[in-house]
Amino acid sequence: MKTAMEASLKTYARRPSLLLLLLIVLATSGPAAAQPPGIHGGEVVPRDVREIYERGLKYLADTQDENGGWNNAGQAGPGTVGMALMVFLASGEDPNFGKYSVNIRRSLRNIINAQDAGTGYLGGQGGQSMYHHGFGMLALAEAYGAVDDRNLWPDRKDGRTIGQTLELAVRCALTSQKKNQYGGWRYSPDAPDADTSVSGAVLVGLLAARNAGIEIPDEAIDRAISFYQQMTSSSGQVAYAGMGGFDESTARVSIATLVYSIARRKDLTEFKATLGFLKERIEFTGADGRGYADYTRYYEAQALFQGDVDAWEKWNKLLVRQLKGAQQADGSIRGEFGVQVSTSLSLLALAVNYRFLPIYER
């Protein structure tokens, strides 16, 4: 036990915030028990949140295959595996020796094996591959510094590390952006056009990588934020692609609010407009007429938390009530993207309550 604890502390020391959280958990828990998340900054995670999350975690763990994927994923690929990986990491369990450590290592090996070692590209099925690249890159960034690479490849010595894989993924995203006239991203890494949904997935991944210590040129972040500014109206509505075409898409408004926040651009008038748009609709936690309720919740939870904690707390209570009613007996949460993806997205919306993922820190 001592050896495992020392190894875990050494790994977490690469992320000071995670080390602090681990020390808090170790100091307030018994030596032999698994460490469920409970107290963060003096606040107790609500019981309903813990119960929904634990049931969902068990479902994802029980349905993961030996290769680290899920046969019931609506759009299989490194991005959807990455979503589930973040659910495991956000649980607060020790990622190296805890309850879900095997699932975490399987997920990471799956993502690493899916990467093109030459270009760094994390592609996927269904033609929406830069979504996979963005979410896969985000998951790698959240795992980097928390998961010990020495336990990742027990039967190989030539397996890429998390850091190497993340750096390759970042290089691919930056190369793709340089080809893009708008400074954003679209479905293909070679696409000349951009949209605010795909761009959100990739940009959040880059910002998470920067937070993890990977060098990201300021110019790349500035170009992407400039693209979002051009796509944001004075009312806070955010267009999808091209100029104009503003509508009341809560998902896109949430994405813009989130990227402005974690890029540290809350001074922008566009940020104030998008956050105001969300706060005016605080009692709404479902789809907005365009579907994709679980995708919307995933981004809105983070956007409100980063933008206005009081607003998030009100919205979060409604979310918990909604997911409690939607969760199936097996722990899954059904949605538009297939049961694994929708379960992962819904649990990640709840994971803001735990605040273990570095990208969820304010």
Side-chain angles (χ1 to χ4, degrees):
M1 179 67 181
K2 182 178 179 181
T3 301
M5 186 180 298
E6 288 175 346
S8 183
L9 285 170
K10 182 177 180 181
T11 303
Y12 270 74
R14 295 164 64 186
R15 291 279 190 89
S17 57
L18 289 178
L19 173 60
L20 177 60
L21 287 170
L22 178 62
L23 289 172
I24 291 171
V25 172
L26 290 174
T28 57
S29 305
Q35 312 298 335
I39 299 176
H40 303 270
E43 297 181 5
V44 178
V45 175
R47 177 179 176 180
D48 283 344
V49 172
R50 297 198 308 271
E51 290 179 350
I52 295 168
Y53 206 87
E54 284 299 324
R55 286 197 296 266
L57 274 171
K58 186 177 186 305
Y59 171 79
L60 290 175
D62 289 347
T63 55
Q64 187 183 34
D65 62 38
E66 290 294 323
N67 293 322
W70 281 264
N71 293 325
N72 56 6
Q75 297 184 36
T80 54
V81 172
M83 293 173 190
L85 169 58
M86 289 190 291
V87 174
F88 292 125
L89 291 171
S91 72
E93 293 281 349
D94 184 332
N96 297 297
F97 305 100
K99 187 175 181 180
Y100 300 107
S101 57
V102 172
N103 304 101
I104 288 170
R105 288 193 290 273
R106 283 178 181 169
S107 300
L108 281 165
R109 287 194 292 267
N110 182 289
I111 294 171
I112 294 171
N113 285 331
Q115 186 179 50
D116 185 312
T119 65
Y121 181 44
L122 295 165
Q125 298 176 5
Q128 300 185 0
S129 47
M130 286 305 284
Y131 274 121
H132 283 282
H133 190 85
F135 282 109
M137 183 166 56
L138 172 59
L140 289 168
E142 299 305 278
Y144 181 57
V147 179
D148 193 337
D149 286 299
R150 293 173 297 180
N151 299 323
L152 192 56
W153 303 103
D155 302 323
R156 294 173 52 182
K157 294 184 179 180
D158 61 341
R160 281 197 303 283
T161 66
I162 299 167
Q164 289 168 339
T165 308
L166 177 58
E167 288 182 346
L168 282 170
V170 165
R171 187 180 70 185
C172 176
L174 295 175
T175 300
S176 175
Q177 185 192 37
K178 289 178 181 177
K179 301 175 184 177
N180 193 284
Q181 61 181 317
Y182 298 104
W185 294 268
R186 189 88 160 126
Y187 298 146
S188 164
D190 297 318
D193 56 341
D195 73 63
T196 48
S197 183
V198 175
S199 293
V202 179
L203 180 54
V204 172
L206 284 176
L207 290 167
R210 184 179 70 175
N211 291 344
I214 305 299
E215 185 176 354
I216 310 292
D218 289 341
E219 179 187 1
I221 304 300
D222 291 344
R223 282 192 72 209
I225 292 298
S226 177
F227 168 63
Y228 274 96
Q229 288 181 268
Q230 294 175 53
M231 302 297 281
T232 302
S233 70
S234 59
S235 66
Q237 296 170 310
V238 177
Y240 176 65
M243 300 306 294
F246 300 107
D247 57 33
E248 296 191 353
S249 169
T250 306
R252 296 200 299 272
V253 175
S254 298
I255 291 168
T257 306
L258 178 62
V259 297
Y260 292 141
S261 296
I262 59 179
R264 306 185 185 98
R265 301 303 304 273
K266 291 184 179 181
D267 57 312
L268 295 175
T269 57
E270 290 84 1
F271 165 76
K272 296 178 177 64
T274 57
L275 178 60
F277 182 97
L278 294 179
K279 289 171 65 176
E280 288 175 1
R281 295 156 178 78
I282 200 68
E283 296 185 359
F284 186 70
T285 61
D288 51 16
R290 281 157 291 280
Y292 308 127
D294 37 18
Y295 180 71
T296 299
R297 287 191 294 253
Y298 166 76
Y299 276 116
E300 190 170 6
Q302 298 175 75
L304 287 171
F305 178 71
Q306 294 290 343
D308 187 319
V309 171
D310 291 337
W312 168 76
E313 287 179 347
K314 295 176 182 178
W315 181 88
N316 185 60
K317 290 178 182 178
L318 299 174
L319 173 70
V320 172
R321 187 185 311 161
Q322 187 177 59
L323 293 183
K324 186 176 181 180
Q327 190 170 41
Q328 304 297 303
D330 62 359
S332 65
I333 300 171
R334 308 302 166 100
E336 300 94 339
F337 297 106
V339 63
Q340 178 261 320
V341 178
S342 293
T343 299
S344 295
L345 287 171
S346 296
L347 293 180
L348 287 172
L350 279 183
V352 177
N353 288 271
Y354 294 125
R355 304 172 201 177
F356 272 99
L357 289 178
I359 198 67
Y360 285 2
E361 296 174 358
R362 298 186 81 248

PDB file of all heavy atoms in Angstrom, residues 187-205:
ATOM      1  N   TYR A 187     -14.806  19.359 -39.987  1.00  0.00           N
ATOM      2  CA  TYR A 187     -14.762  17.911 -39.830  1.00  0.00           C
ATOM      3  C   TYR A 187     -13.423  17.291 -40.210  1.00  0.00           C
ATOM      4  O   TYR A 187     -12.940  16.372 -39.565  1.00  0.00           O
ATOM      5  CB  TYR A 187     -15.866  17.245 -40.658  1.00  0.00           C
ATOM      6  CG  TYR A 187     -17.264  17.629 -40.247  1.00  0.00           C
ATOM      7  CD1 TYR A 187     -18.276  17.746 -41.193  1.00  0.00           C
ATOM      8  CD2 TYR A 187     -17.579  17.872 -38.916  1.00  0.00           C
ATOM      9  CE1 TYR A 187     -19.573  18.098 -40.824  1.00  0.00           C
ATOM     10  CE2 TYR A 187     -18.862  18.218 -38.536  1.00  0.00           C
ATOM     11  CZ  TYR A 187     -19.852  18.325 -39.488  1.00  0.00           C
ATOM     12  OH  TYR A 187     -21.119  18.674 -39.110  1.00  0.00           O
ATOM     13  N   SER A 188     -12.816  17.777 -41.261  1.00  0.00           N
ATOM     14  CA  SER A 188     -11.543  17.222 -41.735  1.00  0.00           C
ATOM     15  C   SER A 188     -10.389  18.105 -41.283  1.00  0.00           C
ATOM     16  O   SER A 188     -10.529  19.335 -41.230  1.00  0.00           O
ATOM     17  CB  SER A 188     -11.550  17.136 -43.266  1.00  0.00           C
ATOM     18  OG  SER A 188     -10.243  16.947 -43.764  1.00  0.00           O
ATOM     19  N   PRO A 189      -9.224  17.531 -40.986  1.00  0.00           N
ATOM     20  CA  PRO A 189      -8.070  18.361 -40.614  1.00  0.00           C
ATOM     21  C   PRO A 189      -7.575  19.237 -41.745  1.00  0.00           C
ATOM     22  O   PRO A 189      -6.819  20.193 -41.503  1.00  0.00           O
ATOM     23  CB  PRO A 189      -7.010  17.332 -40.196  1.00  0.00           C
ATOM     24  CG  PRO A 189      -7.430  16.053 -40.838  1.00  0.00           C
ATOM     25  CD  PRO A 189      -8.918  16.085 -40.886  1.00  0.00           C
ATOM     26  N   ASP A 190      -7.995  18.950 -42.972  1.00  0.00           N
ATOM     27  CA  ASP A 190      -7.582  19.752 -44.125  1.00  0.00           C
ATOM     28  C   ASP A 190      -8.672  20.704 -44.610  1.00  0.00           C
ATOM     29  O   ASP A 190      -8.507  21.357 -45.645  1.00  0.00           O
ATOM     30  CB  ASP A 190      -7.177  18.830 -45.283  1.00  0.00           C
ATOM     31  CG  ASP A 190      -5.976  17.960 -44.940  1.00  0.00           C
ATOM     32  OD1 ASP A 190      -5.033  18.489 -44.329  1.00  0.00           O
ATOM     33  OD2 ASP A 190      -5.999  16.756 -45.266  1.00  0.00           O
ATOM     34  N   ALA A 191      -9.770  20.801 -43.877  1.00  0.00           N
ATOM     35  CA  ALA A 191     -10.896  21.627 -44.328  1.00  0.00           C
ATOM     36  C   ALA A 191     -10.544  23.104 -44.306  1.00  0.00           C
ATOM     37  O   ALA A 191      -9.931  23.600 -43.355  1.00  0.00           O
ATOM     38  CB  ALA A 191     -12.109  21.368 -43.440  1.00  0.00           C
ATOM     39  N   PRO A 192     -10.945  23.864 -45.345  1.00  0.00           N
ATOM     40  CA  PRO A 192     -10.670  25.303 -45.381  1.00  0.00           C
ATOM     41  C   PRO A 192     -11.712  26.121 -44.614  1.00  0.00           C
ATOM     42  O   PRO A 192     -11.483  27.287 -44.307  1.00  0.00           O
ATOM     43  CB  PRO A 192     -10.732  25.628 -46.870  1.00  0.00           C
ATOM     44  CG  PRO A 192     -11.708  24.633 -47.417  1.00  0.00           C
ATOM     45  CD  PRO A 192     -11.515  23.370 -46.615  1.00  0.00           C
ATOM     46  N   ASP A 193     -12.889  25.510 -44.327  1.00  0.00           N
ATOM     47  CA  ASP A 193     -13.938  26.230 -43.603  1.00  0.00           C
ATOM     48  C   ASP A 193     -13.957  25.796 -42.146  1.00  0.00           C
ATOM     49  O   ASP A 193     -13.213  24.913 -41.740  1.00  0.00           O
ATOM     50  CB  ASP A 193     -15.296  26.010 -44.262  1.00  0.00           C
ATOM     51  CG  ASP A 193     -15.647  24.533 -44.373  1.00  0.00           C
ATOM     52  OD1 ASP A 193     -14.729  23.699 -44.282  1.00  0.00           O
ATOM     53  OD2 ASP A 193     -16.829  24.213 -44.548  1.00  0.00           O
ATOM     54  N   ALA A 194     -14.827  26.417 -41.351  1.00  0.00           N
ATOM     55  CA  ALA A 194     -14.866  26.152 -39.923  1.00  0.00           C
ATOM     56  C   ALA A 194     -16.289  26.285 -39.401  1.00  0.00           C
ATOM     57  O   ALA A 194     -17.117  26.969 -39.998  1.00  0.00           O
ATOM     58  CB  ALA A 194     -13.944  27.114 -39.173  1.00  0.00           C
ATOM     59  N   ASP A 195     -16.579  25.625 -38.297  1.00  0.00           N
ATOM     60  CA  ASP A 195     -17.843  25.845 -37.604  1.00  0.00           C
ATOM     61  C   ASP A 195     -17.587  25.917 -36.106  1.00  0.00           C
ATOM     62  O   ASP A 195     -16.553  25.466 -35.614  1.00  0.00           O
ATOM     63  CB  ASP A 195     -18.887  24.773 -37.956  1.00  0.00           C
ATOM     64  CG  ASP A 195     -18.621  23.420 -37.336  1.00  0.00           C
ATOM     65  OD1 ASP A 195     -18.625  23.324 -36.103  1.00  0.00           O
ATOM     66  OD2 ASP A 195     -18.425  22.440 -38.087  1.00  0.00           O
ATOM     67  N   THR A 196     -18.524  26.509 -35.373  1.00  0.00           N
ATOM     68  CA  THR A 196     -18.306  26.785 -33.959  1.00  0.00           C
ATOM     69  C   THR A 196     -18.477  25.562 -33.072  1.00  0.00           C
ATOM     70  O   THR A 196     -18.042  25.572 -31.920  1.00  0.00           O
ATOM     71  CB  THR A 196     -19.258  27.890 -33.474  1.00  0.00           C
ATOM     72  OG1 THR A 196     -20.596  27.597 -33.906  1.00  0.00           O
ATOM     73  CG2 THR A 196     -18.846  29.242 -34.038  1.00  0.00           C
ATOM     74  N   SER A 197     -19.064  24.493 -33.588  1.00  0.00           N
ATOM     75  CA  SER A 197     -19.230  23.274 -32.804  1.00  0.00           C
ATOM     76  C   SER A 197     -17.951  22.440 -32.821  1.00  0.00           C
ATOM     77  O   SER A 197     -17.394  22.112 -31.765  1.00  0.00           O
ATOM     78  CB  SER A 197     -20.406  22.457 -33.353  1.00  0.00           C
ATOM     79  OG  SER A 197     -20.624  21.310 -32.566  1.00  0.00           O
ATOM     80  N   VAL A 198     -17.462  22.094 -34.015  1.00  0.00           N
ATOM     81  CA  VAL A 198     -16.201  21.356 -34.118  1.00  0.00           C
ATOM     82  C   VAL A 198     -15.057  22.169 -33.514  1.00  0.00           C
ATOM     83  O   VAL A 198     -14.209  21.638 -32.783  1.00  0.00           O
ATOM     84  CB  VAL A 198     -15.885  21.004 -35.586  1.00  0.00           C
ATOM     85  CG1 VAL A 198     -14.509  20.345 -35.687  1.00  0.00           C
ATOM     86  CG2 VAL A 198     -16.947  20.075 -36.162  1.00  0.00           C
ATOM     87  N   SER A 199     -15.033  23.461 -33.813  1.00  0.00           N
ATOM     88  CA  SER A 199     -13.963  24.314 -33.299  1.00  0.00           C
ATOM     89  C   SER A 199     -13.941  24.314 -31.774  1.00  0.00           C
ATOM     90  O   SER A 199     -12.868  24.389 -31.155  1.00  0.00           O
ATOM     91  CB  SER A 199     -14.122  25.745 -33.813  1.00  0.00           C
ATOM     92  OG  SER A 199     -13.917  25.804 -35.208  1.00  0.00           O
ATOM     93  N   GLY A 200     -15.113  24.232 -31.152  1.00  0.00           N
ATOM     94  CA  GLY A 200     -15.164  24.182 -29.697  1.00  0.00           C
ATOM     95  C   GLY A 200     -14.481  22.946 -29.147  1.00  0.00           C
ATOM     96  O   GLY A 200     -13.722  23.022 -28.174  1.00  0.00           O
ATOM     97  N   ALA A 201     -14.737  21.787 -29.785  1.00  0.00           N
ATOM     98  CA  ALA A 201     -14.123  20.546 -29.325  1.00  0.00           C
ATOM     99  C   ALA A 201     -12.603  20.630 -29.403  1.00  0.00           C
ATOM    100  O   ALA A 201     -11.892  20.219 -28.477  1.00  0.00           O
ATOM    101  CB  ALA A 201     -14.638  19.372 -30.152  1.00  0.00           C
ATOM    102  N   VAL A 202     -12.088  21.175 -30.504  1.00  0.00           N
ATOM    103  CA  VAL A 202     -10.633  21.234 -30.693  1.00  0.00           C
ATOM    104  C   VAL A 202     -10.015  22.314 -29.805  1.00  0.00           C
ATOM    105  O   VAL A 202      -8.969  22.091 -29.172  1.00  0.00           O
ATOM    106  CB  VAL A 202     -10.284  21.485 -32.167  1.00  0.00           C
ATOM    107  CG1 VAL A 202      -8.763  21.558 -32.351  1.00  0.00           C
ATOM    108  CG2 VAL A 202     -10.864  20.382 -33.051  1.00  0.00           C
ATOM    109  N   LEU A 203     -10.649  23.478 -29.738  1.00  0.00           N
ATOM    110  CA  LEU A 203     -10.082  24.565 -28.955  1.00  0.00           C
ATOM    111  C   LEU A 203     -10.038  24.235 -27.466  1.00  0.00           C
ATOM    112  O   LEU A 203      -9.043  24.535 -26.787  1.00  0.00           O
ATOM    113  CB  LEU A 203     -10.872  25.854 -29.193  1.00  0.00           C
ATOM    114  CG  LEU A 203     -10.390  27.099 -28.441  1.00  0.00           C
ATOM    115  CD1 LEU A 203      -8.912  27.376 -28.703  1.00  0.00           C
ATOM    116  CD2 LEU A 203     -11.245  28.314 -28.812  1.00  0.00           C
ATOM    117  N   VAL A 204     -11.087  23.627 -26.929  1.00  0.00           N
ATOM    118  CA  VAL A 204     -11.056  23.229 -25.515  1.00  0.00           C
ATOM    119  C   VAL A 204      -9.944  22.212 -25.272  1.00  0.00           C
ATOM    120  O   VAL A 204      -9.257  22.260 -24.252  1.00  0.00           O
ATOM    121  CB  VAL A 204     -12.426  22.668 -25.072  1.00  0.00           C
ATOM    122  CG1 VAL A 204     -12.339  22.065 -23.671  1.00  0.00           C
ATOM    123  CG2 VAL A 204     -13.481  23.772 -25.084  1.00  0.00           C
ATOM    124  N   GLY A 205      -9.741  21.304 -26.238  1.00  0.00           N
ATOM    125  CA  GLY A 205      -8.636  20.360 -26.121  1.00  0.00           C
ATOM    126  C   GLY A 205      -7.290  21.059 -26.075  1.00  0.00           C
ATOM    127  O   GLY A 205      -6.403  20.702 -25.282  1.00  0.00           O
TER     128      GLY A 205
END
